[in-house]
Amino acid sequence: MLPLQIKPDIYDVGVQDWAVRDFHGYKTERGATYNSYLLMDEKITLIDTVKAPFAEELLRNISQVTPLESVDYIVINHVEPDHSGAMPALAKACPNAKFIISMAGKNEAIQHYGDIFDFTVVKDGATLNIGKRNLTFAMMTMLHWPDNMATYCAEEKILFSNDAFGQHYATSKRFDDEVDQGELFYEAQKYFANILWPYAKLIGKALAKLGGLDIKLIAPSHGVIWRSGIADILACYGKWGQGVCDGSLVIAYDSMWGGTEKLARAIARGAQRAGIVVKVFKLSQTPNSTVAAELFTASGLLVGSPTLNSGMMPSMGSFLTYIKGLAPVGKKAASFGTFGWAGGAQKDMEEMLGKFVPEVLPGYQCKWTPQTVNLDAAEQFGYDFAQELLEKNQNSADCQC
Ligand code: FEO
């Protein structure tokens, strides 16, 4: 049985990873795919490989189209192991194949797998003729590692974009217009937030590089292939790269005996009554990456933790470490929480917030279980913080709320 042809003589030979729920800390609730494309031309060319545990499945998919020994080129757009894990298996199974790769990619691949490949290093703008088609390589440095590149086929008008425009979204349908649009764009945004946010300022340059290309398909290395929504996803990347916001407030908290949870609920009520969109997450029950996806477009962040052993709760430490790594910019932030005989959580949270927020606003805390007076004060705190956000949103050209 032949794999799907995304265009005549171009096969989808990658794999769906239905079971995966973790991608270096990013919780992939809809699984993932590792896309690989086989171009049948005078020179048979594979673009990208798959994660190591799926190497056998990749080889089987290729061999259903052509003998493995007939593969001439294997383009490695990115050496992160979700795309390069099958390289050693391919080197054995396809002894005649040259591995086409960037210089940074070559160095990374040797560090990962040893000097076992027949490499041809390509530079930005280089073109490889494979028969009826030509492949042009565009360096996409830091989207998402130093080695990243994209491969463009002018004759087919296909951009093989690797990580860019991907989604961690395992589906049996392979094109964007065959899946639920809400799910698709949610997963595309969540992917951008968790993978590309730290490099968002490079997106404009990358889009400018791709701007002159006639693109009819964007075939990324994760998720579905863009066919109908190309203009939409390019527009989203344009916005996301500039740090567009929706004006909302994210409240992320954890609680020991329910006191900080009561504060979180009161703060949310106050902010809601100010007319702002509020999204509330309990960190012990929500993956950091899910909150990150919402924080990505939010204007403000409030974090809440009680004091545990003179500091913030470990779940809050994990969350703030994760968010700091994503290097968000342009958010207003403050903290809240309860304490018993001595505080500590608020100091911890404010120190961590200060690593990625230019000015941490005054927070709110109370002793032991919040009483009516504390809940009233927390509601007011939420209302006042929301007013700050409304003012910020009015003054921000990037805010689309
Ligand atoms: Fe999908 Fe950066 O790897």
Side-chain angles (χ1 to χ4, degrees):
M1 193 178 291
L2 285 174
L4 174 76
Q5 291 186 67
I6 65 168
K7 288 194 78 173
D9 289 331
I10 301 179
Y11 292 86
D12 171 31
V13 291
V15 302
Q16 284 110 330
D17 188 351
W18 301 101
V20 69
R21 289 294 179 271
D22 181 82
F23 188 92
H24 55 52
Y26 171 176
K27 299 301 174 196
T28 50
E29 285 135 331
R30 288 191 171 96
T33 73
Y34 316 114
N35 299 344
S36 176
Y37 303 96
L38 184 68
L39 282 63
M40 295 301 295
D41 208 317
E42 287 167 31
K43 296 289 187 185
I44 296 175
T45 302
L46 183 72
I47 298 184
D48 288 324
T49 89
V50 301
K51 203 171 166 181
F54 300 96
E56 190 182 326
E57 193 172 326
L58 171 67
L59 296 181
R60 176 179 159 78
N61 290 345
I62 297 168
S63 64
Q64 287 173 328
V65 182
T66 188
L68 293 166
E69 305 75 40
S70 69
V71 175
D72 295 291
Y73 295 128
I74 299 173
V75 175
I76 302 295
N77 280 316
H78 182 25
V79 177
E80 191 163 9
D82 51 327
H83 309 294
S84 68
M87 281 178 73
L90 283 160
K92 268 193 197 161
C94 311
N96 305 311
K98 284 188 182 307
F99 286 78
I100 312 298
I101 198 164
S102 67
M103 180 52 82
K106 177 183 172 183
N107 294 335
E108 289 173 16
I110 291 171
Q111 291 289 319
H112 280 297
Y113 307 113
D115 198 357
I116 59 170
F117 305 102
D118 181 3
F119 284 122
T120 296
V121 170
V122 290
K123 293 185 175 167
D124 191 39
T127 295
L128 176 72
N129 176 262
I130 61 168
K132 295 192 294 280
R133 305 174 179 90
N134 292 283
L135 301 178
T136 301
F137 306 102
M139 297 303 138
M140 305 284 277
T141 308
M142 296 316 298
L143 300 176
H144 144 242
W145 276 10
D147 64 296
N148 270 80
M149 62 182 195
T151 299
Y152 177 65
C153 178
E155 293 76 13
E156 302 287 356
K157 302 181 181 13
I158 303 178
L159 179 70
F160 299 96
S161 60
N162 195 264
D163 275 346
F165 311 113
Q167 330 93 46
H168 282 320
Y169 187 31
T171 61
S172 56
K173 294 294 183 184
R174 302 298 297 126
F175 289 97
D176 60 341
D177 49 26
E178 298 176 314
V179 299
D180 182 275
Q181 296 300 289
E183 280 183 8
L184 172 60
F185 279 90
Y186 171 78
E187 293 298 340
Q189 180 172 320
K190 184 177 178 185
Y191 179 93
F192 190 105
N194 283 280
I195 301 289
L196 298 177
W197 195 355
Y199 315 110
K201 61 177 181 290
L202 303 175
I203 293 291
K205 195 172 153 198
L207 291 178
K209 190 180 262 194
L210 304 177
L213 302 178
D214 185 3
I215 299 173
K216 294 285 184 270
L217 286 183
I218 296 178
S221 57
H222 295 295
V224 297
I225 298 162
W226 298 95
R227 165 170 79 182
S228 299
I230 290 174
D232 295 332
I233 192 63
L234 287 172
C236 284
Y237 265 57
K239 282 192 307 187
W240 297 339
Q242 289 168 21
V244 71
C245 78
D246 61 14
S248 63
L249 166 63
V250 165
I251 300 176
Y253 74 96
D254 214 341
S255 198
M256 287 166 60
W257 296 106
T260 299
E261 184 154 45
K262 283 185 179 175
L263 290 184
R265 294 182 61 78
I267 291 166
R269 280 196 302 275
Q272 190 177 336
R273 285 171 193 173
I276 206 157
V277 174
V278 185
K279 298 173 184 176
V280 184
F281 301 96
K282 188 170 188 177
L283 294 175
S284 56
Q285 293 170 13
T286 314
N288 293 335
S289 50
T290 300
V291 186
E294 302 295 340
L295 180 62
F296 179 57
T297 51
S299 290
L301 171 65
L302 288 173
V303 291
S305 170
T307 291
L308 171 67
N309 300 328
S310 307
M312 61 184 156
M313 289 186 73
S315 53
M316 181 56 70
S318 163
F319 172 70
L320 288 172
T321 301
Y322 189 85
I323 297 300
K324 173 178 156 285
L326 296 176
V329 292
K331 312 292 181 198
K332 280 188 180 276
S335 66
F336 63 92
T338 58
F339 64 97
W341 54 99
Q346 190 138 25
K347 180 169 171 287
D348 277 1
M349 289 186 287
E350 288 184 349
E351 276 178 11
M352 278 296 281
L353 286 173
K355 293 179 192 291
F356 58 89
V357 175
E359 185 198 1
V360 180
L361 296 176
Y364 177 75
Q365 59 178 339
C366 73
K367 209 166 179 181
W368 298 117
T369 297
Q371 303 300 307
T372 301
V373 64
N374 306 116
L375 295 175
D376 288 347
E379 273 189 15
Q380 189 64 46
F381 170 71
Y383 182 88
D384 293 344
F385 190 84
Q387 293 294 339
E388 293 266 358
L389 294 191
L390 288 168
E391 190 181 327
K392 168 179 161 29
N393 296 341
Q394 269 180 355
N395 296 332
S396 168
D398 293 331
C399 188
Q400 298 189 354
C401 49

